Amino acid sequence: MNIAGMGMVSARGRGLAALEQALEQGWVPPGEVEVKGLPSGRLLVYAVPAEAMSDKTVLAKARRADRFTRMAVLAASDALQDSGLGATVDKSRLGVIVATALGPHATTFSFLDGILDFGDAAVSPTAFSHSVHNAAASYIAMTLDVRGPTLTVTHFQFAFQQAVLLARTWLNDGRCDAVLVGTVDELGAVMHHVCGRMGKPAADGRIKPFAFSAVPETVPGEGSVFFLMTRESTGAAYALLNPLVLSVPDVISPAHRGGTLQLLDTDGMAKDETAYRTAVIPGMPVAGYAPLFGGLLTVSAFQAAAAALMLEKQRRYASPVLDNPHSLSLLHETSNTPLDTVLCTKLDCTGRPAQLLLSLT
Amino acid sequence: MVEEKVLITGMGVVSAAGMNVAETLAGFTSGIRNIGRTTPALSPLDYPVFQVSAPLRDSGNAHSRTLQLAFHALDEALTDAGLPHDLSGLRVGVCMGTTVASQLNDMDFYTAYRKTGEPPMEPVEAFLKGNLAEAVAGAVKARGPCITVVNACSSSADAVGVALGWIRNDLCDLVIAGGGDELSRIPVCGFGSLSVFSHEPCRPYDRDRQGLNLGEGAGVLILEPESAARRRGSRSTLFVGGYGAACDAHHLTAPRPDGSGLETAIRVSLAQAGIMPEAVGFVNAHGTATRDNDKVEGGVLVRVFGAQVKALSTKGFTGHTLGAAGALEAAFTALALREGWIPASAGFENQDDEIPIGAVREKTAISARYAVSTSLAFGGNNASLVIGCGS
Amino acid sequence: MQDQTKEQQLTEIRAKLKELLVSNLNIEGVTPDQIKDDDALFGEGLGLDSLDAVEIVVILQRHFGVEVKDMEKGREIFRSVNTLANYIVETKQQGK
C-alpha cells in the first residue's frame, strides 16, 4: 500500500520539517525530569515540547483532550493534510487505526487520584472517559469527521506492525479507500518512575542501537506518528509499505542488498537486545534512529517515517549514534546515494521478527 | 482473497448467565437473572452487578481476573472445536477485545507510589505480561497476527470482525476471536460518575429503564475457513457472514442522535454477507438500558429492519460486560440460530413510546438463517456482525 | 442582615464557580470574569455539553458539598452560573 501522507509529533517537534531537521542534525541531548523514588531523583527523557502541541485550529474540538490524545490528533490531522487527499477522500470510507502500547496512563492515574482524594462517588467523568485507550481515535474521528471504521489496538511488542497489517486488510477488503494508521504513547510522572526503575537509563543520554546488549540502555521518549495509507494503485506516495509480520529475518535477496538499508528498532526498551545480532542482514548498510526520538514501545512508527522520507528524498541519513561494538556496516554519513528499499526490523522478546518493507513507488 | 464461508467451529462463554454454553442456555430458558450487588471489596458504591460467582478453570498462567475469564472461555471454545491447546502447527491469529485489562490501573501500585514514591513493581510486570491477545497467543503457541482491540463497548465485536478480515485475506488458517473484562472498581466509579447506572436490575428497551448494570465475563469464538474446518472434521454450520463498523464522529460519550453511524455499520455488514434486511431473523441489540443508547439503537433497527423485527438484549442476563460484550453476544446470536430460539429480553416489560421497537418478552422460537448482533461504544464506534447458520 | 449574608454568599459562590468552570472544564478563550451570571452555559452560550454537565455535578460535590441526585432536574439547575449558585445556597440551607 501507499504511504500517501505522514504526520509526526516527537521530542524534536511537530511535522515533517522537524523530522527532516532531526535526521540532518543527528543526536541532541535529552531533557531531564525530576522523578521521585529514583536513587538519582532524575531521569533523562525525550519529551514532546509544549509548543509542538499548540494548535487552536486543529484542536478546536479537543478542549478536554489530554496530551496523549492531542499528540495523536495533531499527527493524524497532519498526515491527512500532507496527503493532499483531505478534501477528496470519502470520509465514510476513511478508517482510523490507533496503536498504543501503554495508552493514556497519565489520565488513568489522574482518575485514580480522584478516587483516592475524593472517594468513589466524586470522581471525574471527564477523566474516566478520557482514560479509555480509544479516546484518541474518537477525537481524531471528530476532528476530521471520519465516518469509516475506527479501531484502537494495543500490543506491547508489535503494536505498529499489527496495526499496519490490519490497515492493509481493510484496504484489500474494500472496507476502506484510505486508512489513517499510527501510534501514540506518552510519558508522565508515573511512567518516568517506572522507566527509571525497570529500564537501564543511559547515563550519557545516548541510546546505542547497535550495542545489542543483554541489558540495553535507554532514554524514554513519547510522541505520535500517523500515516495516511491508500491502495498501491492510487496516486502519489512517499513509498510503498509492505508489512511482513512474523516473517523470517532474511527477506532481501543478495542482488537487492546494495540499494537497501536495514533499520533496527533497537531503542533500549526491550529487556534484552542480543537477538538482533542475528537479525542483521549481511551486505546491507544498517542504521537506527531511535536515539533521535527516545525509547518507545511504538518506536517502529518513527523509524518507518524516517524510512519513507529517505525514499522520497533519495537521501540516506547518518545513524545518529555510531557506537559499533559488533563492527556492523553502519550508515555513518549522510549522502544522496540512491535508495530503493528500506527494511525495518523489530524483534519480540523471543527473537521473532516483525518487519516492514518500504520501497520506491 | 479467501471467498469461502468463515465458520464458527467452536464457542466458549462465561458470564453471570452461566459458566459455559450449556449453563447459559439453561439460564436463558429459566429466565433467572443472577444479579448481585457491588461488594466492599469492589467499591464502596452500591449498584447491582452481574458477577461470575463460580470458580473459574485454573489456567495457571493468568495474571489478572480478565485473563482467567478469557482462558476459561478459551478452554471451552477449543474443546468445542475439537482443537488441541497447542496450535503451533497452524497459522493461528488471535484477536481479543478488552477495556479494563489494557490499563495500568492497579490501585495498590498507585497508592504505594503516592505514599512512598517507591511502589512494588510486580503489578507493572504483571501488566506487561497481561496483554490479552498476547497472553492467549502465548498459551496456544499462536504465531499469526495478534491484536488486542480496545474499542470500549464494541471491542470484541470488532475483534470478531478483524478476525473475519484476517481469514478472508489469507493471513491465517484459524483465528481465536473474542474478549473479556472483569468487574473492576475503575468502571464502577467511572460509569457511576457518568450517571448511567441503574439502581435496579437493568431494563433494556423498557419504557422505565434507568440505566445499565455492569457485568463481567468472556466470550471466545474459533473462526476457520470452511474447507479447512471440514478437512479437520468440523460439522459446524455456524458462520460469520459479515462485519460492518462505522464511527459517529460526534461525541466521546454520547451516540449520534440520528444513529447514522450504527445504520452504516449494519448496512455494511449486510452487504458483506450478501443479504437484505428481510433475511435477518432477529437482532441481538446492544441494549444497555441507558435512555440514550436504547432510543438511538431502537430507531435505527426500525429504519433498517422494520418494526416487526424480533429484537432482544441479553444484557438483562449478563449485565454490560464491556470488552466481552460483543463476543458474548455474537456467541449468543449463533447459539440462538443453532438452537432455534431466542431468550426473553430479560428486564423488558413495557414498550417505550419513543422507541418504535419492542423487545421479546418471552422465549421465542425462531427459524432463520441469519441474525445480526449490534454494538455501540463510547467514542462513537458502531459495530454490526451478521451471523449465519446452515449449509 | 440575613439577606445581605445570603447575597454575599451568592457573590462568592458565583465567582468560585466561574473559576472552577474555566479550569475544570478546560474552557479556552474565556476568562472567569468574562462569564456573565445569566449567560447560558449549555447550547449556544458557553457551549457546554452532556459530559460537562456530569463534570459540573462533581464540581458541586467536591467544592461545595452538594449533590445533584436527579439529572432531569439538572437541566434547570445548570442553566447559568446564577441558577447553579442559587441551587448551592438553597441546598445547603435545607441541609442545615
Side-chain angles (χ1 to χ4, degrees):
Chain A
M1 49 188 164
N2 282 350
I3 298 175
M6 301 197 292
M8 180 187 287
V9 173
S10 77
R12 302 300 281 264
R14 176 184 166 196
L16 299 178
L19 169 62
E20 193 177 348
Q21 189 184 27
L23 289 164
E24 293 281 359
Q25 188 180 10
W27 179 85
V28 297
E32 193 175 74
V33 290
E34 283 185 23
V35 182
K36 75 174 186 178
L38 293 186
S40 64
R42 327 187 86 75
L43 188 72
L44 296 175
V45 296
Y46 282 108
V48 174
E51 58 267 22
M53 287 200 287
S54 168
D55 187 326
K56 284 191 162 66
T57 308
V58 171
L59 296 175
K61 292 183 180 172
R63 159 170 59 95
R64 291 170 290 220
D66 53 21
R67 284 180 87 248
F68 178 89
T69 287
R70 283 168 189 250
M71 289 194 284
V73 169
L74 289 169
S77 172
D78 287 352
L80 184 60
Q81 168 104 343
D82 184 51
S83 73
L85 298 173
T88 52
V89 72
D90 178 352
K91 296 288 178 69
S92 70
R93 294 186 54 74
L94 172 62
V96 174
I97 302 172
V98 177
T100 179
L102 301 170
H105 50 79
T107 300
T108 300
F109 292 126
S110 172
F111 181 71
L112 298 189
D113 281 329
I115 297 177
L116 293 170
D117 293 335
F118 298 103
D120 293 44
V123 294
S124 164
T126 304
F128 174 65
S129 54
H130 286 72
S131 71
V132 296
H133 279 36
N134 66 310
S138 176
Y139 272 101
I140 291 170
M142 285 191 277
T143 299
L144 303 176
D145 198 28
V146 174
R147 305 294 187 104
T150 56
L151 207 76
T152 300
V153 301
T154 81
H155 197 273
F156 288 128
Q157 316 217 45
F158 293 140
F160 180 58
Q161 289 81 354
Q162 298 286 356
V164 164
L165 191 63
L166 183 60
R168 192 178 67 177
T169 304
W170 283 3
L171 290 170
N172 281 357
D173 263 352
R175 190 172 292 283
C176 297
D177 295 328
V179 181
L180 273 166
V181 57
T183 65
V184 53
D185 267 304
E186 64 169 354
L187 290 172
V190 180
M191 199 48 60
H192 294 152
H193 178 89
V194 169
C195 288
R197 293 267 303 276
M198 293 187 77
K200 185 181 174 195
D204 62 357
R206 293 157 76 245
I207 291 171
K208 299 163 189 70
F210 317 109
F212 303 157
S213 169
V215 190
E217 296 180 346
T218 193
V219 180
E222 62 176 3
S224 177
V225 186
F226 268 82
F227 301 85
L228 196 280
M229 303 294 210
T230 58
R231 284 188 208 93
E232 272 183 43
S233 55
T234 326
Y238 285 89
L240 298 178
L241 174 56
N242 187 10
L244 307 166
V245 181
L246 302 175
S247 68
V248 294
D250 188 354
V251 296
I252 308 289
S253 71
H256 251 113
R257 289 176 192 179
T260 305
L261 174 63
Q262 184 175 20
L263 299 190
L264 301 179
D265 287 358
T266 37
D267 61 353
M269 292 294 278
K271 281 205 163 123
D272 183 336
E273 287 182 346
T274 53
Y276 279 91
R277 285 177 76 169
T278 50
V280 174
I281 299 174
M284 276 165 38
V286 175
Y289 300 106
L292 301 177
F293 311 112
L296 292 103
L297 296 176
T298 43
V299 77
S300 306
F302 294 81
Q303 297 257 82
L309 199 69
M310 287 195 282
L311 285 163
E312 198 237 1
K313 293 196 174 298
Q314 284 297 290
R315 186 163 175 79
R316 303 184 188 211
Y317 295 100
S319 218
V321 171
L322 292 169
D323 299 40
N324 191 9
H326 301 285
S327 305
L328 305 178
S329 174
L330 294 187
L331 185 58
H332 57 87
E333 66 180 4
T334 298
S335 70
N336 290 331
T337 309
L339 182 66
D340 56 56
T341 315
V342 181
L343 181 69
C344 297
T345 301
K346 185 165 196 212
L347 306 183
D348 72 6
C349 57
T350 70
R352 279 192 308 157
Q355 315 214 68
L356 301 171
L357 190 68
L358 291 92
S359 47
L360 280 178
T361 55
Chain B
M1 291 290 288
V2 170
E3 298 293 348
E4 56 180 306
K5 255 192 222 154
V6 176
L7 297 189
I8 302 170
T9 55
M11 289 183 282
V13 298
V14 57
S15 72
M19 299 302 289
N20 51 52
V21 164
E23 261 189 45
T24 303
L25 291 175
F28 284 170
T29 297
S30 75
I32 294 171
R33 306 173 72 182
N34 297 320
I35 190 163
R37 296 198 80 89
T38 47
T39 58
L42 182 60
S43 167
L45 299 177
D46 178 39
Y47 291 111
V49 288
F50 285 86
Q51 191 163 18
V52 173
S53 324
L56 298 166
R57 264 187 281 276
D58 177 18
S59 63
N61 59 353
H63 297 282
S64 68
R65 181 166 170 80
T66 296
L67 283 175
Q68 284 182 318
L69 288 161
F71 281 127
H72 183 98
L74 172 68
D75 190 59
E76 183 183 18
L78 289 172
T79 304
D80 185 35
L83 285 165
H85 282 53
D86 181 339
L87 299 174
S88 49
L90 300 168
R91 290 185 312 162
V92 176
V94 177
C95 195
M96 301 290 287
T98 189
T99 61
V100 172
S102 64
Q103 287 186 336
L104 178 53
N105 58 18
D106 187 276
M107 201 52 120
D108 292 337
F109 162 79
Y110 190 58
T111 309
Y113 168 81
R114 279 175 33 135
K115 197 167 175 187
T116 69
E118 286 187 53
M121 285 288 129
E122 285 81 5
V124 180
E125 282 160 16
F127 168 71
L128 291 172
K129 291 190 188 109
N131 181 286
L132 188 48
E134 287 185 57
V136 168
V140 300
K141 301 191 175 63
R143 300 172 68 80
C146 180
I147 277 180
T148 298
V149 174
V150 196
N151 243 24
C153 317
S154 67
S155 296
S156 53
D158 290 311
V160 173
V162 166
L164 180 68
W166 284 346
I167 289 179
R168 289 168 63 92
N169 280 266
D170 199 23
L171 295 178
C172 31
D173 306 315
L174 182 154
V175 183
I176 297 170
D181 255 321
E182 63 194 84
L183 275 172
S184 156
R185 191 176 179 188
I186 311 303
V188 170
C189 296
F191 282 100
S193 72
L194 285 162
S195 293
V196 293
F197 279 146
S198 170
H199 289 276
E200 303 170 351
C202 63
R203 308 176 72 169
Y205 278 76
D206 190 89
R207 175 192 67 200
D208 302 318
R209 66 194 185 280
Q210 293 173 10
L212 63 93
N213 308 139
L214 279 180
E216 62 178 359
V220 173
L221 286 73
I222 309 293
L223 303 187
E224 297 177 74
E226 186 172 21
S227 56
R230 296 285 177 247
R231 272 197 303 274
R232 252 194 345 96
S234 171
R235 294 198 296 215
S236 173
T237 56
L238 294 166
F239 59 95
V240 180
Y243 163 65
C247 191
D248 280 346
H250 172 70
H251 193 269
L252 194 55
T253 54
R256 189 174 272 277
D258 66 5
S260 50
L262 178 63
E263 183 169 351
T264 299
I266 294 173
R267 293 197 189 281
V268 167
S269 69
L270 295 175
Q272 187 174 33
I275 62 171
M276 300 298 286
E278 300 77 62
V280 170
F282 67 89
V283 178
N284 183 313
H286 190 57
T288 56
T290 64
R291 303 289 323 167
D292 270 351
N293 177 85
D294 293 4
K295 182 174 175 187
V296 168
E297 187 180 27
V300 172
L301 294 183
V302 165
R303 273 209 304 279
V304 177
F305 298 107
Q308 77 293 341
V309 72
K310 293 185 183 60
L312 74 151
S313 170
T314 43
K315 288 187 172 71
F317 285 109
T318 62
H320 190 350
T321 54
L322 303 180
L328 277 173
E329 287 157 25
F332 298 156
T333 303
L335 287 166
L337 286 172
R338 188 182 77 190
E339 303 294 311
W341 57 268
I342 48 176
S345 190
F348 175 77
E349 283 176 29
N350 298 303
Q351 180 145 357
D352 184 341
D353 290 340
E354 288 191 342
I355 305 179
I357 198 170
V360 296
R361 287 184 183 80
E362 53 198 14
K363 181 174 167 178
T364 304
I366 51 113
S367 170
R369 184 170 162 77
Y370 295 100
V372 163
S373 178
T374 51
S375 300
L376 293 83
F378 271 12
N381 307 308
N382 299 280
S384 171
L385 290 167
V386 174
I387 309 290
C389 181
S391 53
Chain C
M1 278 294 278
Q2 254 187 332
D3 282 342
Q4 207 177 20
T5 308
K6 184 178 172 185
E7 191 45 49
Q8 275 176 333
Q9 272 185 318
L10 281 168
T11 304
E12 273 176 26
I13 287 170
R14 283 192 288 260
K16 189 171 172 188
L17 273 170
K18 290 173 188 178
E19 297 275 353
L20 287 167
L21 288 175
V22 168
S23 62
N24 286 30
L25 305 183
N26 239 35
I27 297 173
E28 290 162 340
V30 175
T31 58
D33 48 273
Q34 286 174 322
I35 303 175
K36 296 195 182 57
D37 297 351
D38 279 313
D39 277 348
L41 294 178
F42 291 82
E44 285 300 312
L46 213 51
L48 304 185
D49 64 18
S50 56
L51 184 54
D52 296 309
V54 283
E55 192 68 35
I56 291 175
V57 170
V58 175
I59 290 174
L60 295 183
Q61 269 173 300
R62 288 187 185 181
H63 298 279
F64 299 98
V66 305
E67 289 187 15
V68 176
K69 288 208 158 59
D70 183 352
M71 283 304 287
E72 285 300 310
K73 292 212 180 92
R75 284 173 183 274
E76 187 42 43
I77 298 168
F78 294 166
R79 199 168 42 76
S80 67
V81 169
N82 250 346
T83 53
L84 272 172
N86 287 335
Y87 176 76
I88 292 167
V89 167
E90 279 157 21
T91 308
K92 287 181 98 66
Q93 269 184 344
Q94 279 165 17
K96 279 189 185 149

